[in-house]
């Protein structure tokens, strides 16, 4: 190899961002666009499909200059329209949800995150803890493990997203279900009392702080 950075080194992300800096600085006054770059993950935001296609062409041109290319198999678009083609004829498919840096962005008229994957992953992690410790450890120990191991899965990246009241209620309901199972109750009053006694903040309160 004549150039490159070792994966996993401390300087690799910094040096790679310098390498891709020109992509984020694409200047075209004819289109209203946003380019978000983190390492080799690029998010293109445009107000119309035609502007998105122009922006894609500009990025491809810059990447080709850097001896790089867009991987069409790992790329997608977040609205429902005719497929956009890359310079080599590969099609970028339209999807209802796309993932960028661990955040799932849903198809909508305004920016909206999809919480389904985070909630499923949270329940999977909680059930794993319950399967190992439910009859061996106290509720206090289990809740502490949930706080340190499972809550980051549920709330990953959400502090940077603008969540609706419905989204916050959905997260709180997911957290309440944990207490329903742990304390074997169906009463929401008992659930809230247990959360108060154990100083357990619901996700909406955690995100506010």
């Amino acid at each position: 190899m004549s150039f490159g950075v070792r994966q996993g080194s401390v300087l690799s992300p910094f040096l790679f961002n310098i390498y891709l800096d020109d992509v984020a600085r694409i200047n075209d006054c004819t289109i209203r666009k946003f380019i978000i770059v983190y390492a080799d993950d690029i998010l293109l935001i445009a107000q119309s499909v035609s502007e998105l296609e122009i922006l894609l062409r500009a990025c491809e041109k810059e990447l080709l200059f850097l001896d790089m290319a867009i991987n069409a198999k790992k790329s997608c678009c977040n609205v429902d329209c005719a497929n956009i083609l890359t310079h080599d004829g590969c099609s970028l498919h339209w999807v209802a949800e796309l993932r960028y840096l661990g955040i799932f962005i849903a198809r909508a008229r305004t920016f909206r995150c999809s919480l389904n994957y985070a909630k499923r992953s949270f329940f999977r992690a909680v059930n794993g803890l319950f399967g190992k410790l439910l009859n061996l450890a106290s509720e206090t120990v289990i809740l502490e493990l949930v706080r340190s191991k499972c809550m980051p899965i549920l709330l990953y990246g959400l502090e940077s997203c603008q969540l609706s009241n419905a989204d916050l209620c959905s997260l709180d309901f997911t957290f309440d279900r944990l207490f329903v199972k742990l304390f074997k109750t169906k009463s929401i009053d008992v659930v809230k009392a247990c959360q108060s006694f154990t100083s357990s903040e619901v996700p909406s309160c955690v995100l506010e702080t």
Side-chain angles (χ1 to χ4, degrees), residues 28 30-31 49-59:
D28 190 338
T30 63
I31 55 176
V49 176
S50 59
E51 289 181 348
L52 180 61
E53 198 162 13
I54 294 172
L55 184 57
L56 176 65
R57 294 285 176 269
C59 285

Side-chain angles (χ1 to χ4, degrees), residues 7 11 16 24 26-27 32 45 73-74 76 81 89 92 94 109 111 131 141 146 159 190 209:
Q7 185 173 359
L11 282 177
F16 193 77
I26 291 175
N27 184 23
R32 293 161 293 178
I45 304 175
K73 294 181 179 180
K74 294 184 178 180
C76 59
C81 191
L92 302 183
W94 302 95
R109 291 185 177 273
F111 183 86
V141 171
V146 168
E159 67 276 1
V190 173
T209 57

Side-chain angles (χ1 to χ4, degrees), residues 117-162:
Y117 182 83
K119 290 189 290 186
R120 287 198 303 268
S121 300
F122 173 77
F123 281 129
R124 191 180 302 119
V126 168
N127 288 334
L129 280 178
F130 281 179
K132 297 289 186 180
L133 300 175
L134 189 58
N135 297 320
L136 300 176
S138 67
E139 289 82 357
T140 304
V141 171
I142 292 176
L143 285 176
E144 191 60 37
L145 288 172
V146 168
R147 289 192 192 101
S148 60
K149 301 296 183 180
C150 303
M151 284 297 287
I153 297 174
L154 181 63
L155 303 181
Y156 176 79
L158 296 184
E159 67 276 1
S160 61
C161 300
Q162 187 174 359

Side-chain angles (χ1 to χ4, degrees), residues 24 86 107 116 143 203:
T86 62
R107 180 191 299 167
N116 295 330
L143 285 176

Side-chain angles (χ1 to χ4, degrees), residues 20-29 31 33-35 37 42 44 54-63:
L20 282 183
D21 188 56
D22 289 341
V23 175
R25 295 177 181 272
I26 291 175
N27 184 23
D28 190 338
C29 60
I31 55 176
K33 83 317 184 179
F34 295 93
I35 303 174
V37 179
I42 303 175
L44 306 180
I54 294 172
L55 184 57
L56 176 65
R57 294 285 176 269
C59 285
E60 284 188 308
K61 181 179 179 181
E62 189 64 39
L63 288 173

